[in-house]
Amino acid sequence: MVLSISGVVLLGIICFLFFKKDGMKLTHAFVCALFGFFLAGSAIAPSITAGTASFASLLGGIKL
């Protein structure tokens, strides 16, 4: 578990730096995909899923 959390943090920092410094390239997208797979396997994944669903329902409830 500790290894996967540190991997998530490391890949998250790398993804942020790619977006900030160079723009997105194919190799950068691959690293970001790996970040997503590691994040999905971590303990925080259910919280992210619940938060995303809550945000989607909030957006769906907005009447223009």
mmCIF file with all atom_site columns, all heavy atoms in Angstrom, residues 26-39:
data_model
loop_
_atom_site.group_PDB
_atom_site.id
_atom_site.type_symbol
_atom_site.label_atom_id
_atom_site.label_alt_id
_atom_site.label_comp_id
_atom_site.label_asym_id
_atom_site.label_entity_id
_atom_site.label_seq_id
_atom_site.pdbx_PDB_ins_code
_atom_site.Cartn_x
_atom_site.Cartn_y
_atom_site.Cartn_z
_atom_site.occupancy
_atom_site.B_iso_or_equiv
_atom_site.pdbx_formal_charge
_atom_site.auth_seq_id
_atom_site.auth_comp_id
_atom_site.auth_asym_id
_atom_site.auth_atom_id
_atom_site.pdbx_PDB_model_num
ATOM 1   N N   . LEU A 1 26 ? 2.793  12.576 -26.436 1.00 0.00 ? 26 LEU A N   1
ATOM 2   C CA  . LEU A 1 26 ? 2.355  11.189 -26.361 1.00 0.00 ? 26 LEU A CA  1
ATOM 3   C C   . LEU A 1 26 ? 2.970  10.466 -25.165 1.00 0.00 ? 26 LEU A C   1
ATOM 4   O O   . LEU A 1 26 ? 2.276  9.742  -24.450 1.00 0.00 ? 26 LEU A O   1
ATOM 5   C CB  . LEU A 1 26 ? 2.701  10.453 -27.660 1.00 0.00 ? 26 LEU A CB  1
ATOM 6   C CG  . LEU A 1 26 ? 2.200  9.020  -27.777 1.00 0.00 ? 26 LEU A CG  1
ATOM 7   C CD1 . LEU A 1 26 ? 0.685  8.981  -27.668 1.00 0.00 ? 26 LEU A CD1 1
ATOM 8   C CD2 . LEU A 1 26 ? 2.647  8.421  -29.081 1.00 0.00 ? 26 LEU A CD2 1
ATOM 9   N N   . THR A 1 27 ? 4.244  10.664 -24.932 1.00 0.00 ? 27 THR A N   1
ATOM 10  C CA  . THR A 1 27 ? 4.878  10.016 -23.779 1.00 0.00 ? 27 THR A CA  1
ATOM 11  C C   . THR A 1 27 ? 4.313  10.558 -22.469 1.00 0.00 ? 27 THR A C   1
ATOM 12  O O   . THR A 1 27 ? 4.160  9.806  -21.502 1.00 0.00 ? 27 THR A O   1
ATOM 13  C CB  . THR A 1 27 ? 6.400  10.229 -23.801 1.00 0.00 ? 27 THR A CB  1
ATOM 14  O OG1 . THR A 1 27 ? 6.684  11.626 -23.888 1.00 0.00 ? 27 THR A OG1 1
ATOM 15  C CG2 . THR A 1 27 ? 7.027  9.516  -24.974 1.00 0.00 ? 27 THR A CG2 1
ATOM 16  N N   . HIS A 1 28 ? 3.966  11.819 -22.441 1.00 0.00 ? 28 HIS A N   1
ATOM 17  C CA  . HIS A 1 28 ? 3.364  12.401 -21.252 1.00 0.00 ? 28 HIS A CA  1
ATOM 18  C C   . HIS A 1 28 ? 1.988  11.793 -20.998 1.00 0.00 ? 28 HIS A C   1
ATOM 19  O O   . HIS A 1 28 ? 1.616  11.539 -19.848 1.00 0.00 ? 28 HIS A O   1
ATOM 20  C CB  . HIS A 1 28 ? 3.245  13.908 -21.398 1.00 0.00 ? 28 HIS A CB  1
ATOM 21  C CG  . HIS A 1 28 ? 4.551  14.584 -21.626 1.00 0.00 ? 28 HIS A CG  1
ATOM 22  N ND1 . HIS A 1 28 ? 4.642  15.822 -22.212 1.00 0.00 ? 28 HIS A ND1 1
ATOM 23  C CD2 . HIS A 1 28 ? 5.825  14.212 -21.371 1.00 0.00 ? 28 HIS A CD2 1
ATOM 24  C CE1 . HIS A 1 28 ? 5.906  16.184 -22.300 1.00 0.00 ? 28 HIS A CE1 1
ATOM 25  N NE2 . HIS A 1 28 ? 6.643  15.212 -21.792 1.00 0.00 ? 28 HIS A NE2 1
ATOM 26  N N   . ALA A 1 29 ? 1.240  11.583 -22.055 1.00 0.00 ? 29 ALA A N   1
ATOM 27  C CA  . ALA A 1 29 ? -0.074 10.973 -21.919 1.00 0.00 ? 29 ALA A CA  1
ATOM 28  C C   . ALA A 1 29 ? 0.046  9.554  -21.368 1.00 0.00 ? 29 ALA A C   1
ATOM 29  O O   . ALA A 1 29 ? -0.792 9.117  -20.574 1.00 0.00 ? 29 ALA A O   1
ATOM 30  C CB  . ALA A 1 29 ? -0.791 10.959 -23.261 1.00 0.00 ? 29 ALA A CB  1
ATOM 31  N N   . PHE A 1 30 ? 1.089  8.839  -21.751 1.00 0.00 ? 30 PHE A N   1
ATOM 32  C CA  . PHE A 1 30 ? 1.313  7.488  -21.232 1.00 0.00 ? 30 PHE A CA  1
ATOM 33  C C   . PHE A 1 30 ? 1.570  7.523  -19.728 1.00 0.00 ? 30 PHE A C   1
ATOM 34  O O   . PHE A 1 30 ? 1.017  6.716  -18.976 1.00 0.00 ? 30 PHE A O   1
ATOM 35  C CB  . PHE A 1 30 ? 2.492  6.835  -21.965 1.00 0.00 ? 30 PHE A CB  1
ATOM 36  C CG  . PHE A 1 30 ? 2.806  5.452  -21.495 1.00 0.00 ? 30 PHE A CG  1
ATOM 37  C CD1 . PHE A 1 30 ? 1.961  4.399  -21.772 1.00 0.00 ? 30 PHE A CD1 1
ATOM 38  C CD2 . PHE A 1 30 ? 3.952  5.207  -20.754 1.00 0.00 ? 30 PHE A CD2 1
ATOM 39  C CE1 . PHE A 1 30 ? 2.246  3.124  -21.324 1.00 0.00 ? 30 PHE A CE1 1
ATOM 40  C CE2 . PHE A 1 30 ? 4.252  3.945  -20.302 1.00 0.00 ? 30 PHE A CE2 1
ATOM 41  C CZ  . PHE A 1 30 ? 3.394  2.896  -20.594 1.00 0.00 ? 30 PHE A CZ  1
ATOM 42  N N   . VAL A 1 31 ? 2.372  8.472  -19.274 1.00 0.00 ? 31 VAL A N   1
ATOM 43  C CA  . VAL A 1 31 ? 2.645  8.604  -17.841 1.00 0.00 ? 31 VAL A CA  1
ATOM 44  C C   . VAL A 1 31 ? 1.372  8.978  -17.091 1.00 0.00 ? 31 VAL A C   1
ATOM 45  O O   . VAL A 1 31 ? 1.098  8.453  -16.003 1.00 0.00 ? 31 VAL A O   1
ATOM 46  C CB  . VAL A 1 31 ? 3.764  9.636  -17.587 1.00 0.00 ? 31 VAL A CB  1
ATOM 47  C CG1 . VAL A 1 31 ? 3.913  9.947  -16.111 1.00 0.00 ? 31 VAL A CG1 1
ATOM 48  C CG2 . VAL A 1 31 ? 5.082  9.137  -18.153 1.00 0.00 ? 31 VAL A CG2 1
ATOM 49  N N   . CYS A 1 32 ? 0.567  9.847  -17.675 1.00 0.00 ? 32 CYS A N   1
ATOM 50  C CA  . CYS A 1 32 ? -0.694 10.221 -17.040 1.00 0.00 ? 32 CYS A CA  1
ATOM 51  C C   . CYS A 1 32 ? -1.662 9.040  -16.977 1.00 0.00 ? 32 CYS A C   1
ATOM 52  O O   . CYS A 1 32 ? -2.408 8.895  -16.006 1.00 0.00 ? 32 CYS A O   1
ATOM 53  C CB  . CYS A 1 32 ? -1.334 11.392 -17.775 1.00 0.00 ? 32 CYS A CB  1
ATOM 54  S SG  . CYS A 1 32 ? -0.435 12.935 -17.520 1.00 0.00 ? 32 CYS A SG  1
ATOM 55  N N   . ALA A 1 33 ? -1.653 8.186  -17.978 1.00 0.00 ? 33 ALA A N   1
ATOM 56  C CA  . ALA A 1 33 ? -2.477 6.983  -17.950 1.00 0.00 ? 33 ALA A CA  1
ATOM 57  C C   . ALA A 1 33 ? -2.015 6.047  -16.837 1.00 0.00 ? 33 ALA A C   1
ATOM 58  O O   . ALA A 1 33 ? -2.837 5.461  -16.123 1.00 0.00 ? 33 ALA A O   1
ATOM 59  C CB  . ALA A 1 33 ? -2.436 6.276  -19.297 1.00 0.00 ? 33 ALA A CB  1
ATOM 60  N N   . LEU A 1 34 ? -0.708 5.899  -16.678 1.00 0.00 ? 34 LEU A N   1
ATOM 61  C CA  . LEU A 1 34 ? -0.187 5.096  -15.574 1.00 0.00 ? 34 LEU A CA  1
ATOM 62  C C   . LEU A 1 34 ? -0.606 5.678  -14.228 1.00 0.00 ? 34 LEU A C   1
ATOM 63  O O   . LEU A 1 34 ? -0.959 4.951  -13.300 1.00 0.00 ? 34 LEU A O   1
ATOM 64  C CB  . LEU A 1 34 ? 1.342  5.014  -15.634 1.00 0.00 ? 34 LEU A CB  1
ATOM 65  C CG  . LEU A 1 34 ? 1.941  4.093  -16.675 1.00 0.00 ? 34 LEU A CG  1
ATOM 66  C CD1 . LEU A 1 34 ? 3.467  4.208  -16.646 1.00 0.00 ? 34 LEU A CD1 1
ATOM 67  C CD2 . LEU A 1 34 ? 1.524  2.662  -16.411 1.00 0.00 ? 34 LEU A CD2 1
ATOM 68  N N   . PHE A 1 35 ? -0.585 7.004  -14.118 1.00 0.00 ? 35 PHE A N   1
ATOM 69  C CA  . PHE A 1 35 ? -1.044 7.673  -12.904 1.00 0.00 ? 35 PHE A CA  1
ATOM 70  C C   . PHE A 1 35 ? -2.495 7.297  -12.602 1.00 0.00 ? 35 PHE A C   1
ATOM 71  O O   . PHE A 1 35 ? -2.850 6.996  -11.462 1.00 0.00 ? 35 PHE A O   1
ATOM 72  C CB  . PHE A 1 35 ? -0.894 9.184  -13.058 1.00 0.00 ? 35 PHE A CB  1
ATOM 73  C CG  . PHE A 1 35 ? -1.501 9.972  -11.937 1.00 0.00 ? 35 PHE A CG  1
ATOM 74  C CD1 . PHE A 1 35 ? -0.978 9.907  -10.665 1.00 0.00 ? 35 PHE A CD1 1
ATOM 75  C CD2 . PHE A 1 35 ? -2.593 10.790 -12.160 1.00 0.00 ? 35 PHE A CD2 1
ATOM 76  C CE1 . PHE A 1 35 ? -1.531 10.638 -9.637  1.00 0.00 ? 35 PHE A CE1 1
ATOM 77  C CE2 . PHE A 1 35 ? -3.149 11.524 -11.150 1.00 0.00 ? 35 PHE A CE2 1
ATOM 78  C CZ  . PHE A 1 35 ? -2.620 11.450 -9.878  1.00 0.00 ? 35 PHE A CZ  1
ATOM 79  N N   . GLY A 1 36 ? -3.320 7.291  -13.628 1.00 0.00 ? 36 GLY A N   1
ATOM 80  C CA  . GLY A 1 36 ? -4.726 6.921  -13.443 1.00 0.00 ? 36 GLY A CA  1
ATOM 81  C C   . GLY A 1 36 ? -4.895 5.488  -12.979 1.00 0.00 ? 36 GLY A C   1
ATOM 82  O O   . GLY A 1 36 ? -5.713 5.203  -12.096 1.00 0.00 ? 36 GLY A O   1
ATOM 83  N N   . PHE A 1 37 ? -4.121 4.566  -13.549 1.00 0.00 ? 37 PHE A N   1
ATOM 84  C CA  . PHE A 1 37 ? -4.219 3.171  -13.132 1.00 0.00 ? 37 PHE A CA  1
ATOM 85  C C   . PHE A 1 37 ? -3.763 2.981  -11.687 1.00 0.00 ? 37 PHE A C   1
ATOM 86  O O   . PHE A 1 37 ? -4.383 2.256  -10.920 1.00 0.00 ? 37 PHE A O   1
ATOM 87  C CB  . PHE A 1 37 ? -3.406 2.262  -14.058 1.00 0.00 ? 37 PHE A CB  1
ATOM 88  C CG  . PHE A 1 37 ? -4.083 1.999  -15.365 1.00 0.00 ? 37 PHE A CG  1
ATOM 89  C CD1 . PHE A 1 37 ? -3.507 2.444  -16.536 1.00 0.00 ? 37 PHE A CD1 1
ATOM 90  C CD2 . PHE A 1 37 ? -5.284 1.328  -15.433 1.00 0.00 ? 37 PHE A CD2 1
ATOM 91  C CE1 . PHE A 1 37 ? -4.121 2.221  -17.760 1.00 0.00 ? 37 PHE A CE1 1
ATOM 92  C CE2 . PHE A 1 37 ? -5.908 1.100  -16.643 1.00 0.00 ? 37 PHE A CE2 1
ATOM 93  C CZ  . PHE A 1 37 ? -5.321 1.545  -17.810 1.00 0.00 ? 37 PHE A CZ  1
ATOM 94  N N   . PHE A 1 38 ? -2.674 3.640  -11.290 1.00 0.00 ? 38 PHE A N   1
ATOM 95  C CA  . PHE A 1 38 ? -2.218 3.538  -9.909  1.00 0.00 ? 38 PHE A CA  1
ATOM 96  C C   . PHE A 1 38 ? -3.208 4.190  -8.951  1.00 0.00 ? 38 PHE A C   1
ATOM 97  O O   . PHE A 1 38 ? -3.448 3.694  -7.858  1.00 0.00 ? 38 PHE A O   1
ATOM 98  C CB  . PHE A 1 38 ? -0.836 4.175  -9.734  1.00 0.00 ? 38 PHE A CB  1
ATOM 99  C CG  . PHE A 1 38 ? 0.285  3.269  -10.114 1.00 0.00 ? 38 PHE A CG  1
ATOM 100 C CD1 . PHE A 1 38 ? 1.057  3.542  -11.223 1.00 0.00 ? 38 PHE A CD1 1
ATOM 101 C CD2 . PHE A 1 38 ? 0.581  2.144  -9.364  1.00 0.00 ? 38 PHE A CD2 1
ATOM 102 C CE1 . PHE A 1 38 ? 2.092  2.714  -11.585 1.00 0.00 ? 38 PHE A CE1 1
ATOM 103 C CE2 . PHE A 1 38 ? 1.615  1.305  -9.715  1.00 0.00 ? 38 PHE A CE2 1
ATOM 104 C CZ  . PHE A 1 38 ? 2.385  1.591  -10.834 1.00 0.00 ? 38 PHE A CZ  1
ATOM 105 N N   . LEU A 1 39 ? -3.796 5.306  -9.353  1.00 0.00 ? 39 LEU A N   1
ATOM 106 C CA  . LEU A 1 39 ? -4.770 5.988  -8.519  1.00 0.00 ? 39 LEU A CA  1
ATOM 107 C C   . LEU A 1 39 ? -6.021 5.142  -8.330  1.00 0.00 ? 39 LEU A C   1
ATOM 108 O O   . LEU A 1 39 ? -6.591 5.096  -7.241  1.00 0.00 ? 39 LEU A O   1
ATOM 109 C CB  . LEU A 1 39 ? -5.127 7.338  -9.136  1.00 0.00 ? 39 LEU A CB  1
ATOM 110 C CG  . LEU A 1 39 ? -5.993 8.271  -8.303  1.00 0.00 ? 39 LEU A CG  1
ATOM 111 C CD1 . LEU A 1 39 ? -5.266 8.631  -7.007  1.00 0.00 ? 39 LEU A CD1 1
ATOM 112 C CD2 . LEU A 1 39 ? -6.294 9.527  -9.085  1.00 0.00 ? 39 LEU A CD2 1
#
